[in-house]
Amino acid sequence: MNIGLLGFGSMGRTHSFAVANLPFFYKDLPFEAKVLGVCTKNPEHAKAAAKNFGFPIAAETEDELINSPDIDVIDICTPNIYHYETIRKAIAAGKHIYCEKPLCVTEEQAAEVADLAEKKGVTAGIVFNNRHLLPVMRAAQWIAEGHLGQVLSFRGAYYHSSATDTAKPAGWKQNRDICGGGVLFDLGSHIIDLIYSLCGEFDEVFGVSRIVYPVRAGMDGKEWKTNADEAFYLTARLANGAVGTIETGKIFTGTNDDLHFEIYGTDGAVRFNLMEPNWLYVYDKHDPDTGFKRVECCGRYPAPGGIFPGIKAPIGWLRGHVESMYQFLAAVHDGRQPKPSFRDGAHVQAIMAAAYRSAETGRMEKVHR
């Protein structure tokens, strides 16, 4: 499978790393995959990426890759506001699509492209890489097996400290004109997806948006008025009746990549913290004397994963991206939709849209389904 990579910032590099390293992590792969071409906003950057990483093609426009008969998959790592049009063109060209989150900038756009991908029959996946960390996969297994019973409540949070320095030029993900939203889109989409994938669809949300630093250095280094949320807090009720909270922000001093969740049910509970990526904490009320158990996960991925560097080796952040890429390309190979799919991405988009509506109205808002 030949991949056309659009964008080569940190995520473009990460995706190309995942593709290149698939044969190391998975035994007897039923497919081969490579990045055949790359396209960036600045053609010189594309040429440099192609030279440094061995990509055969440095395209001057994304249409070159989208319309090329040699390209099977379009991998979208561009800013959010460009996703919608690129996805539509890729679907029309019959390409399979692997898209960074969020899927689009509005719930209407996200629902539309999910419909279009299904009608066209292309495999269309969204990159929620944290689903593919082994402790999260073990948590999903634990819940699916019924160890939690009925899910009652949850708490999810994703904190960064990257926006605490107002003299540091803002990145495009802090600019609503390019990101389409603020930290809710950037970090919040990840933790929302984890709660959704582990606990079920959302029914209604109450959201509070916050800008802590109204004035900071802009992308050009000059004084700039902050135009997107730097922190977001929401209370959510799920379709199954569970109620919980989700918090996200880039203004939390002392944090690094602090994603964590707690889920409580009638029969048990689970906890996970990305800063301790080798462990899942589980509680079984039928075995109360032991309290929470720390379950060792490390590199114990289901077959055909887990062979490199070995099941006892500590896990790293990149491993979730490798598994995410594997799961998507395996779905392309099998001719099926991946998990998470564009439809999953559209639901997360609808949740965020409801959260933004709530922040404006000051009341609970229904999630459109």
Side-chain angles (χ1 to χ4, degrees):
M1 288 178 275
N2 291 325
I3 299 168
L5 182 59
L6 308 183
F8 203 73
S10 60
M11 284 301 98
R13 292 170 67 97
T14 298
H15 290 199
S16 59
F17 172 92
V19 173
N21 283 277
L22 287 172
F24 291 97
F25 288 94
Y26 302 92
K27 187 177 181 180
D28 298 326
L29 280 173
F31 56 83
E32 293 182 8
K34 66 178 179 180
V35 176
L36 185 67
V38 62
C39 177
T40 64
K41 184 177 181 179
N42 184 334
E44 293 305 314
H45 292 168
K47 292 177 182 177
K51 178 181 178 181
N52 293 333
F53 294 90
F55 307 143
I57 300 171
E60 292 194 2
T61 70
E62 66 176 28
D63 290 349
E64 291 181 41
L65 298 179
I66 291 173
N67 296 320
S68 170
D70 297 324
I71 295 293
D72 305 298
V73 173
I74 293 296
D75 186 339
I76 302 173
C77 297
T78 54
N80 308 339
I81 59 170
Y82 304 120
H83 289 186
Y84 173 68
E85 292 297 337
T86 300
I87 290 170
R88 283 175 54 88
K89 288 190 291 185
I91 292 173
K95 305 302 184 184
H96 306 294
I97 307 165
Y98 190 60
C99 184
E100 267 295 334
K101 55 76 198 168
L103 187 54
C104 296
V105 296
T106 72
E107 61 179 322
E108 292 82 10
Q109 290 176 348
E112 178 187 339
V113 297
D115 288 340
L116 289 174
E118 290 173 359
K119 290 177 183 177
K120 188 71 171 181
V122 299
T123 298
I126 186 168
V127 185
F128 285 125
N129 52 289
N130 292 296
R131 281 196 190 198
H132 302 289
L133 292 167
L134 185 54
V136 178
M137 296 169 68
R138 288 292 299 272
Q141 178 187 14
W142 181 268
I143 293 170
E145 291 174 350
H147 295 291
L148 261 63
Q150 178 185 352
V151 177
L152 300 176
S153 188
F154 55 86
R155 175 175 177 262
Y158 201 173
Y159 298 151
H160 277 194
S161 60
S162 55
T164 56
D165 182 0
T166 59
K168 176 184 176 183
W172 68 261
K173 292 181 180 180
Q174 295 170 259
N175 187 337
R176 180 180 288 273
D177 295 337
I178 304 175
C179 184
V183 73
L184 181 64
F185 270 16
D186 185 23
L187 302 183
S189 57
H190 277 297
I191 190 62
I192 288 171
D193 177 70
L194 285 182
I195 297 300
Y196 158 54
S197 65
L198 294 171
C199 300
E201 290 190 343
F202 283 51
D203 182 51
E204 57 182 355
V205 297
F206 179 82
V208 176
S209 174
R210 190 177 186 199
I211 292 176
V212 178
Y213 303 105
V215 178
R216 60 168 61 247
M219 296 176 68
D220 59 0
K222 298 178 181 178
E223 187 176 281
W224 176 68
K225 186 177 180 181
T226 306
N227 67 3
D229 47 288
E230 298 174 315
F232 205 98
Y233 312 88
L234 64 87
T235 300
R237 189 192 316 274
L238 306 189
N240 59 20
V243 177
T245 62
I246 292 175
E247 309 158 20
T248 188
K250 294 185 175 182
I251 43 79
F252 296 101
T253 304
T255 60
N256 290 294
D257 200 24
D258 289 27
L259 179 153
H260 53 274
F261 62 78
E262 306 166 5
I263 303 171
Y264 300 94
T266 53
D267 294 331
V270 293
R271 295 175 180 168
F272 172 69
N273 188 331
L274 182 57
M275 299 304 289
E276 297 182 80
N278 295 295
W279 306 97
L280 176 69
Y281 292 81
V282 300
Y283 178 80
D284 184 347
K285 84 169 187 179
H286 303 294
D287 188 17
D289 293 336
T290 61
F292 270 89
K293 291 182 179 179
R294 191 170 72 157
V295 178
E296 183 181 89
C297 296
C298 297
R300 293 176 173 82
Y301 274 83
I307 63 168
F308 177 82
I311 62 173
K312 296 180 181 179
I315 207 68
W317 178 84
L318 283 167
R319 185 64 177 87
H321 271 285
V322 176
E323 177 74 11
S324 179
M325 183 64 73
Y326 166 75
Q327 292 291 344
F328 170 75
L329 293 176
V332 173
H333 176 266
D334 297 341
R336 56 179 171 82
Q337 290 303 319
K339 286 287 186 179
S341 67
F342 270 20
R343 188 62 62 190
D344 295 317
H347 185 60
V348 171
Q349 197 88 46
I351 294 165
M352 296 188 296
Y356 277 132
R357 288 197 303 271
S358 174
E360 292 179 357
T361 65
R363 60 175 182 262
M364 293 286 284
E365 292 287 340
K366 282 283 189 179
V367 175
H368 299 152
R369 286 185 286 166

